[in-house]
Amino acid sequence: MSSSSLIPLTSTFTSLPSTNTNRAIKTRTNQTHGFRVSCNHAPDNQNDKKLILPEAQKLLLPNVDRRNLLVGLGGLYTATNLTSKPLALAAPITAPDITSICKDASAGIGNQDKALRSRKCCPPSLGKTIKNFVFPTDKKVRMRWPAHAGTKEQVDKYRAAIQAMRDLPDDHPHSFVSQAKIHCAYCNGGYTQVDSGFADKEIQIHNSWLFFPFHRWYLYFYERILGKLIKDPDFALPFWKWDEPAGMPIPEMFVPETIDGKPNPLYDVYRSADHIKDGIVDLDYREINGKLDKDIPYKQQVLCNLSTVYRDLVRNGGDTLSFFGGVYVAGNDPVKNGAESVGSVEAGSHTAVHRWVGDSKNPNGEDMGNFYSAGYDPAFYIHHSNVDRMWKLWKDLRLPGHVDPTEPDWLDASYVFYDENEDLVRVYNRDSVSLDKLKYNYIENSKEVFPWRNSRPAKRNKNLQTATTTEVKKVDQIKFPVKLDKILKVGVKRPAVNRSAEEKVKANEVLVIKGIRYDSEKFVKFDVFVNDKLKDGVFTTPCDPEYAGGFAQIPHGGMKNMFMGSSARFGLTELLEDTNTDGDEYATVTLVPRTGCDDLTVGKIEIILVPVAAV
């Protein structure tokens, strides 16, 4: 399929039918809520220190020293918003020799005494030196296939490969246990930034721009190891195609405990039996105080799932930073308080599937519900295969702003893996951007290849709206940080109103919630609604335009007192059009705590214009 076939034209979107009459969520402060839950640097010479600004900003700022810009600018135009010449911010995150500098995982594992999986996540050492990555010379491209539509041959090969991996001794670098531990070590405090001179700072590949490339490399080697084990050079992973209706249930091959009287290698005992039995994944995980909200009917759940994918890839992923997550460089704490942000897919469908599959009744949400244990469930790898595909689809849309990061600190960030030959290999983000060079791709074989493309929420019927009668405080009238132990509704001034179509192409209007401080040992979730002006008796769902998205976190890394900080970004350009509020000077932002928010605080709420790069 050509990339051009993915381009969604705003004027030709077919919206889903409104679901206002369905029982779901009421976005009013006096009502019960049922919302969703859930290093090769460029030369540092004088020319390189000058920041070449996009055309849209040349009237605002002259070319300035990039480090002065980092210090002196905030709010509307920050360094990470500028799309131009790569920025030399600091130094890239560099994984150390993973076999010699590694410690037991502890971060994000609240109940360590009752942990169901090992916290000893360090890989085995074979006494080998680290090699630099070389692109494969395979003659054929490995074609990953949709797990719900695999042939008998594909399924049998996949089962055989996983079984072969399970049969290896645990201390073999290719064993099922060793591969599972990779995620634990990189996500729950196994490595520090010692190679960059910051031995006291942990490496964390979530909640930042490292999320997509790290997981791409993880699956790249995992796939090739499986192929080597069954002597199939063309072996390809399946992917859980939860972005189309037929693929939304967990694939059937993962469900039975036994196959022909033998243990099913794809089965995992630590899955939520209730959720798996329900049949369809909730990509906008609606958890209320630890319990899944099951009030949405099956057909509406499908529609809401499609809207979630659309929101992740289009509305909330409208620029590089919003899609990938915030800048994370050497010397930073994992998700430095109030600075970095989590990417749209990572915060959305990715986290929802983790929580839906994992068993919240387990001490730490094992397996998929905690990053230290997620790799022990074979479903983790097919889930992340589809998350990796989201990166490809996002780029294939070829929309303004849909471009990979170009900063050297992203391009030169690196990790170390065992390859299929049991050699230690250092890989870089810069080498992860081309699937053609990596010799794999994805099969798209559905009649409705991308149904989410037509899932922009329907424009709100003005007859269902009413003027706001309740006094809403402005952000400058509220003392931040604010504890989110109850619904928070604030008025936020917009940088511009009624922008022209040309202006909207050049810059996205984005809601930014900064300084989100939360307990990293809990699953936390809150939802965000904007300009809810609905009459009494009208309810909103994740399918509806007022829903901006949610902030959700699986337990993982920790800082002092096990609290972490982050930020979240939500695209408003389409939302304001679809809620008939593009002319309003202030946007009414409603934050609804869902679960784990008793100690969660928010440091700042603002709306900014983010310039976007042309593709």
Side-chain angles (χ1 to χ4, degrees), residues 248-544:
M248 288 177 184
I250 190 169
E252 180 59 31
M253 60 181 166
F254 287 81
V255 176
E257 189 170 352
T258 61
I259 299 291
D260 298 329
K262 297 180 180 180
N264 178 9
L266 305 182
Y267 178 78
D268 181 54
V269 68
Y270 298 136
R271 291 182 189 144
S272 174
D274 291 340
H275 297 170
I276 302 302
K277 183 174 60 179
D278 289 341
I280 182 171
V281 69
D282 182 356
L283 294 183
D284 198 55
Y285 192 78
R286 282 171 296 278
E287 184 173 305
I288 306 173
N289 297 323
K291 295 183 179 180
L292 185 65
D293 178 13
K294 300 180 180 179
D295 289 334
I296 295 184
Y298 178 90
K299 289 184 178 180
Q300 186 179 338
Q301 181 65 71
V302 170
L303 296 177
C304 289
N305 281 348
L306 295 176
S307 292
T308 296
V309 177
Y310 176 85
R311 188 169 54 246
D312 288 352
L313 295 187
V314 181
R315 200 167 79 179
N316 288 344
D319 61 87
T320 302
L321 179 62
S322 295
F323 181 75
F324 279 87
V327 174
Y328 175 38
V329 297
N332 285 40
D333 285 310
V335 194
K336 184 179 178 182
N337 253 323
E340 285 75 21
S341 58
V342 59
S344 57
V345 171
E346 183 182 359
S349 48
H350 159 261
T351 295
V353 175
H354 267 277
R355 185 65 174 177
W356 188 83
V357 176
D359 192 344
S360 60
K361 300 184 184 69
N362 287 337
N364 301 286
E366 291 95 344
D367 273 335
M368 281 275 279
N370 194 300
F371 289 150
Y372 99 97
S373 56
Y376 286 92
D377 189 339
F380 166 84
Y381 303 93
I382 65 163
H383 168 46
H384 268 277
S385 186
N386 202 43
V387 170
D388 179 72
R389 177 172 159 266
M390 292 297 110
W391 180 5
K392 176 185 183 296
L393 296 183
W394 179 79
K395 289 171 66 174
D396 285 349
L397 286 169
R398 300 190 64 77
L399 293 172
H402 287 219
V403 293
D404 294 329
T406 57
E407 293 86 345
D409 295 322
W410 184 82
L411 295 171
D412 293 328
S414 66
Y415 328 95
V416 178
F417 292 92
Y418 274 110
D419 69 5
E420 65 271 27
N421 300 315
E422 301 176 38
D423 289 329
L424 282 173
V425 178
R426 182 173 295 281
V427 295
Y428 295 84
N429 284 353
R430 66 168 65 251
D431 293 330
S432 70
V433 298
S434 171
L435 298 191
D436 290 341
K437 290 183 178 180
L438 294 176
K439 298 291 185 179
Y440 78 88
N441 214 315
Y442 293 90
I443 295 173
E444 306 290 355
N445 63 348
S446 171
K447 292 180 180 178
E448 292 183 288
V449 178
F450 306 110
W452 50 267
R453 287 174 57 199
N454 298 323
S455 296
R456 175 175 173 172
K459 191 177 181 68
R460 175 61 65 190
N461 185 334
K462 291 183 178 180
N463 294 329
L464 299 177
Q465 293 179 301
T466 184
T468 302
T469 56
T470 305
E471 181 70 21
V472 177
K473 288 185 176 181
K474 308 294 192 295
V475 288
D476 56 2
Q477 297 173 315
I478 297 176
K479 185 178 180 180
F480 287 90
V482 175
K483 195 172 183 178
L484 197 62
D485 55 353
K486 58 184 177 181
I487 294 170
L488 174 66
K489 187 183 287 282
V490 296
V492 185
K493 187 174 177 59
R494 297 172 55 204
V497 299
N498 290 323
R499 293 188 299 143
S500 68
E502 183 180 13
E503 289 173 323
K504 290 178 180 179
V505 169
K506 292 181 179 179
N508 292 325
E509 190 165 355
V510 178
L511 169 67
V512 183
I513 303 175
K514 295 183 175 181
I516 305 170
R517 189 170 181 269
Y518 60 95
D519 187 340
S520 68
E521 293 183 347
K522 296 179 180 178
F523 173 66
V524 299
K525 178 72 168 64
F526 67 81
D527 292 315
V528 182
F529 292 80
V530 177
N531 290 340
D532 167 35
K533 299 182 177 183
L534 303 181
K535 294 181 178 179
D536 289 340
V538 181
F539 300 91
T540 54
T541 76
C543 301
D544 293 316

Side-chain angles (χ1 to χ4, degrees), residues 148-165:
H148 71 282
T151 65
K152 184 179 185 305
E153 180 183 7
Q154 287 172 324
V155 172
D156 288 347
K157 277 187 178 182
Y158 179 51
R159 279 206 178 106
I162 296 295
Q163 187 61 60
M165 181 176 277

Side-chain angles (χ1 to χ4, degrees), residues 182-242:
I182 293 172
H183 202 252
C184 171
Y186 273 99
C187 308
N188 294 80
Y191 306 128
T192 71
Q193 302 171 29
V194 62
D195 276 20
S196 303
F198 301 96
D200 60 331
K201 303 289 187 182
E202 292 179 356
I203 290 178
Q204 168 58 255
I205 51 76
H206 291 92
N207 291 289
S208 77
W209 62 0
L210 301 186
F211 172 77
F212 276 108
F214 169 83
H215 287 89
R216 174 165 287 183
W217 283 122
Y218 188 4
L219 266 64
Y220 171 83
F221 290 113
Y222 183 79
E223 180 175 65
R224 298 178 74 86
I225 288 169
L226 288 174
K228 185 76 174 282
L229 289 174
I230 61 171
K231 297 180 175 57
D232 182 359
D234 302 326
F235 175 87
L237 283 170
F239 60 96
W240 184 354
K241 199 176 183 182
W242 33 251

